[in-house]
Amino acid sequence: MTRPTAVRRYPVLLALCLAALFMVVPFLIVAVNAVKSPAEYSRNGPLSLPHGLYLDGLKDFWQRVDYSRKLVNSTLISGAVALLATALSVLNAYAIGIGRIRFRTWVLAFFVLANMLPQEALVYPLYYLSKQAGLYDTRLSVIIVFTVIQSAFGTYLLSAVLGQFPREIVEAARIDGANKWQILVRIVVPVSRPTLGVLLVFFFIWTWNEFLLPLVMLISNDNQTVSVALGVLQGQRLMDATMTNAAALLGVLPAIVFFLVFQRTLTRGIAVGAVK
């Protein structure tokens, strides 16, 4: 690397560091205030460092919303949606990108349109259909809804990727006697694994952060997710500043842990896409 090239990269590196700082600092402020007592928060403000660890806010929020159950619900729903939406995206994109179905452009336009619909427009139809199907206030209803919503984006993305898939490989597999399912499982999926890993991570985090549809579809306390529990408890004005920060910390921490665990998968998928 020549020196002028390295010098030109310094502004980019500085901009990335500033962007990372803007993203990390709010999380650190929330984490600090989550272990600060209400009296210390009122006396010294939100930017002061705590003199000790005050964990009552975390404990009170955990017990008040039954956080263990909410954590299980969110993990189950987000994990199921991530797996099912990725699988459905692969099947749809395989038919569109490699199978070259008729009216391919119109089908892709339909998926794009479905992905652009605001959730506010879907609330009443989904509420009515879930009532008629006997799935209202069940985790299965939310899993089905978000699997369809997330797979619309996944289908559009994977269709573009598989549309560039080398036709010679597919034809060679067909000559060797492989059927469509064998081509999908043994060739297409292994080659597309980095992209599928990216979709899996995104689908999990997006579903974890969803609020409106779970709020409408899950009304019983036993089925609610972490994000719904946070919104309901804050709406009832039952939390002080310390507990509010504790709730925010516990709400976002599992998603951050999931992201860090699968960070290598995400980075590998983005790097492979950039090379292609």
Side-chain angles (χ1 to χ4, degrees):
M1 182 185 301
T2 61
R3 184 176 179 83
T5 303
V7 172
R8 285 197 299 268
R9 292 187 176 182
Y10 288 150
V12 178
L13 181 60
L14 180 61
L16 291 176
C17 291
L18 291 176
L21 187 65
F22 278 114
M23 289 186 289
V24 171
V25 167
F27 176 76
L28 294 178
I29 293 176
V30 169
V32 167
N33 288 311
V35 295
K36 190 184 299 182
S37 66
E40 188 176 1
Y41 181 91
S42 301
R43 183 172 59 252
N44 300 326
L47 299 181
S48 63
L49 294 177
H51 298 295
L53 292 180
Y54 178 85
L55 302 179
D56 288 350
L58 293 169
K59 294 178 181 177
D60 291 343
F61 173 75
W62 191 294
Q63 297 172 356
R64 183 172 295 181
V65 302
D66 193 6
Y67 184 78
S68 300
R69 182 180 294 275
K70 305 299 186 297
L71 184 62
V72 171
N73 291 338
S74 289
T75 304
L76 177 62
I77 292 173
S78 301
V81 168
L83 293 174
L84 294 175
T86 302
L88 186 57
S89 300
V90 171
L91 295 176
N92 293 337
Y94 178 64
I96 297 173
I98 294 181
R100 298 292 182 177
I101 62 174
R102 296 180 62 186
F103 308 110
R104 174 176 178 268
T105 303
W106 290 102
V107 173
L108 284 177
F110 172 78
F111 278 106
V112 173
L113 180 63
N115 193 60
M116 294 174 60
L117 285 175
Q119 292 189 2
E120 291 80 3
L122 301 175
V123 168
Y124 179 73
L126 293 176
Y127 169 81
Y128 180 79
L129 289 175
S130 62
K131 279 281 191 178
Q132 294 296 316
L135 295 176
Y136 185 67
D137 195 23
T138 63
R139 291 174 294 190
L140 180 59
S141 63
V142 178
I143 291 174
I144 294 174
V145 169
F146 282 121
T147 296
V148 175
I149 293 175
Q150 308 289 25
S151 64
F153 171 80
T155 299
Y156 174 74
L157 177 63
L158 283 178
S159 296
V161 174
L162 297 185
Q164 305 297 323
F165 197 87
R167 305 293 297 180
E168 297 80 5
I169 298 178
V170 177
E171 294 299 332
R174 288 174 179 169
I175 293 174
D176 291 338
N179 57 34
K180 295 180 179 180
W181 285 104
Q182 290 172 332
I183 294 174
L184 172 63
V185 175
R186 297 181 181 180
I187 298 177
V188 175
V189 170
V191 172
S192 306
R193 189 173 300 169
T195 305
L196 299 182
V198 173
L199 286 181
L200 194 70
V201 174
F202 281 166
F203 288 165
F204 184 93
I205 295 177
W206 290 346
T207 307
W208 182 280
N209 293 328
E210 289 291 345
F211 175 75
L212 179 60
L213 289 180
L215 177 65
V216 175
M217 304 291 289
L218 303 175
I219 58 174
S220 64
N221 188 58
D222 292 339
N223 293 326
Q224 288 179 349
T225 61
V226 172
S227 59
V228 173
L230 289 173
V232 170
L233 199 58
Q234 288 181 342
Q236 296 174 351
R237 301 183 182 277
L238 298 176
M239 296 191 296
D240 53 32
T242 300
M243 190 181 297
T244 300
N245 285 277
L249 179 64
L250 290 177
V252 73
L253 193 59
I256 293 177
V257 172
F258 179 85
F259 176 82
L260 293 177
V261 170
F262 290 95
Q263 180 184 12
R264 182 172 298 180
T265 300
L266 184 64
T267 305
R268 187 186 303 117
I270 296 176
V272 170
V275 171
K276 287 183 180 179

